[in-house]
Amino acid sequence: MTFQRGAAATVSLVVLSQVVHFLTYSGLALLLPFIRQDLGITFAQAGVLSAVATSTYALAQIPAGYLSDRYGPKRLFFGGLLGWSLLAAALALAFSYWAALVTLAAAGACRALLFAPGIALVASWFPPQRRATAMSLFLVGSFVGTIVLALSAPRLSAWFGWRPAFAVYALLGVATALAFHYAAAENPDARPARRIGLGDALDVLKHRVAWLCNALQFIRFSAVTGFNFWLPSLLVSDRGFSLEQAGLVVGLSAACAAAANPLGAYISDRLGKPPLVIGVSLAIVACMSSLLVSVTSTPLLLAVVALHSVFMTVYFGPLFSVAVDALGSRRAGLATGVGNLFANVGALISAFALGVIKDATGSFAAGFYAMSALCAVGVALAFALSRMRTASADEALPRIGENWSTT
């Protein structure tokens, strides 16, 4: 009973922490039209705001994963949520572009302490055969937070301005971090027999399956960030939506993603074929990225947003679980951290590039067509990953006539 209570409390608090974290993280994108106007910046400069936070977030991924495996994920997750929330409150008080840049650079490093440690902490309370499902739960909180933000932020910012609204969300993060610190726990049975060392980190970088997963992570988060960060601006500037209407569309997107994410993990765990889920999802995202900037009617646009949101998240759990399966649960934090480093390099490039393309061409179309082509490359990589995993499984089986004993 104690084990069950510890698992339920910890997983629930991690999910709640993701909810409040995404009130501020998603708020950067949804409130970007107000932020741009307030700070007097261009689309390209707004892309740099995302890029600088993503840069420090990406650079801290491997250290965060290594420290999580070596010292335990709970204290790192707590420090990450508290640091991000305090810096988000500081951002609400930043009245210059350069102050916002410095604040987001520091916040990105704190945010890195949430991802790999958070996934490792949640996964540690689940059996290996349910690893993809466990990892998908971590993402559910982000979608719930985005939905709450989409429904509340436009009205709050209209009443009080974006700064007070953003500060309230940040203070909720501080309160949740303190609750997590006092009530969450690590699974004592999941502690490794020995601490990992630098040699383990080097081994992660030598594994062929891990490198394919890293390339797929680059593509995955390029598409996710390009879509999530620029969707509100695309709707407002290219389609003439009001901020409140854009908020409702963002809420629709998050709701679709929240429903699809655990379903994709469940299918992957049941079939035992995560590369299939990855490949099919990327093929559909490739199509939706092109349609997003080419359909003309609003009902069709909403359908495209919904389908894009479903399939860009279906394969989150399966992709991370493949790397952990290949490298072992003892290095779950490292495997997750390395993969997320590559993911955020892709995010950095896509967030900045789409802003530059918008400024240069007056439209987001060329950027999303390029994203479609990148996802098509991902389909080919998913096929290669399937072949490689099959070959690895065959090599692990004794050949006919071999002695099955170890003596």
Side-chain angles (χ1 to χ4, degrees):
M1 289 297 292
T2 302
F3 178 87
Q4 291 177 344
R5 285 197 300 270
T10 301
V11 172
S12 297
L13 281 166
V14 170
V15 173
L16 177 61
S17 297
Q18 280 290 90
V19 172
V20 297
H21 165 52
F22 268 75
L23 290 176
T24 44
Y25 178 68
S26 295
L28 290 172
L30 182 60
L31 299 174
L32 189 60
F34 287 154
I35 297 172
R36 282 184 55 249
Q37 183 179 15
D38 196 353
L39 299 180
I41 59 176
T42 66
F43 283 98
Q45 288 175 311
V48 173
L49 286 178
S50 173
V52 71
T54 303
S55 297
T56 53
Y57 177 64
L59 290 172
Q61 286 300 312
I62 293 178
Y66 175 80
L67 292 172
S68 174
D69 289 339
R70 187 168 178 82
Y71 298 110
K74 179 189 170 181
R75 68 185 72 177
L76 289 166
F77 188 88
F78 163 69
L81 181 60
L82 183 63
W84 167 271
S85 300
L86 290 172
L87 287 163
L91 181 64
L93 301 175
F95 285 90
S96 76
Y97 178 59
W98 293 105
L101 279 177
V102 172
T103 302
L104 284 173
C110 291
R111 185 169 175 259
L113 301 179
L114 290 170
F115 192 81
I119 284 184
L121 184 59
V122 171
S124 70
W125 290 98
F126 285 78
Q129 64 271 21
R130 296 183 62 196
R131 185 170 286 134
T133 301
M135 291 179 171
S136 72
L137 284 176
F138 178 79
L139 208 60
V140 167
S142 65
F143 300 132
V144 174
T146 302
I147 293 170
V148 173
L149 172 84
L151 296 177
S152 62
R155 191 172 296 274
L156 286 177
S157 59
W159 288 342
F160 306 109
W162 75 268
R163 293 179 185 276
F166 203 78
V168 168
Y169 296 141
L171 293 176
L172 285 174
V174 173
T176 304
L178 296 175
F180 173 86
H181 176 68
Y182 288 109
E186 294 180 8
N187 183 356
D189 297 331
R191 291 171 183 162
R194 67 176 181 86
R195 286 184 172 182
I196 66 164
L198 292 177
D200 294 282
L202 294 175
D203 286 342
V204 170
L205 298 175
K206 295 177 182 177
H207 206 289
R208 291 183 301 165
V209 169
W211 275 106
L212 268 180
C213 290
N214 293 341
L216 284 164
Q217 290 286 10
F218 177 95
I219 294 169
R220 176 190 71 84
F221 213 45
S222 293
V224 169
T225 301
F227 178 80
N228 285 340
F229 187 75
W230 288 113
L231 178 64
S233 296
L234 182 151
L235 295 172
V236 172
S237 66
D238 284 13
R239 299 301 181 108
F241 282 48
S242 68
L243 186 64
E244 190 164 339
Q245 290 171 328
L248 291 174
V249 176
V250 170
L252 166 70
S253 171
C256 292
N261 181 52
L263 177 63
Y266 174 77
I267 292 172
S268 175
D269 284 341
R270 290 285 293 177
L271 296 178
K273 295 180 178 180
L276 176 63
V277 176
I278 295 167
V280 170
S281 299
L282 279 170
I284 296 175
V285 171
C287 296
M288 295 303 108
S289 294
S290 293
L291 290 173
L292 185 66
V293 289
S294 59
V295 297
T296 56
S297 74
T298 298
L300 279 177
L301 176 64
L302 295 179
V304 168
V305 168
L307 284 173
H308 192 295
S309 303
V310 165
F311 286 97
M312 77 177 181
T313 52
V314 157
Y315 65 108
F316 174 89
L319 181 52
F320 276 102
S321 69
V322 169
V324 175
D325 287 343
L327 295 164
S329 57
R330 191 172 68 88
R331 293 179 290 190
L334 264 175
T336 302
V338 172
N340 209 38
L341 165 63
F342 282 86
N344 282 277
V345 171
L348 186 158
I349 294 171
S350 69
F352 177 68
L354 283 169
V356 171
I357 290 170
K358 168 64 175 174
D359 278 340
T361 65
S363 169
F364 287 105
F368 279 97
Y369 287 141
M371 200 66 64
S372 180
L374 186 63
C375 290
V377 174
V379 175
L381 292 178
F383 177 75
L385 179 63
S386 178
R387 295 285 297 272
M388 190 174 292
R389 291 181 81 243
T390 301
S392 298
D394 290 344
E395 289 172 4
L397 294 174
R399 293 184 179 86
I400 295 176
E402 280 187 354
N403 189 353
W404 285 68
S405 75
T406 58
T407 58

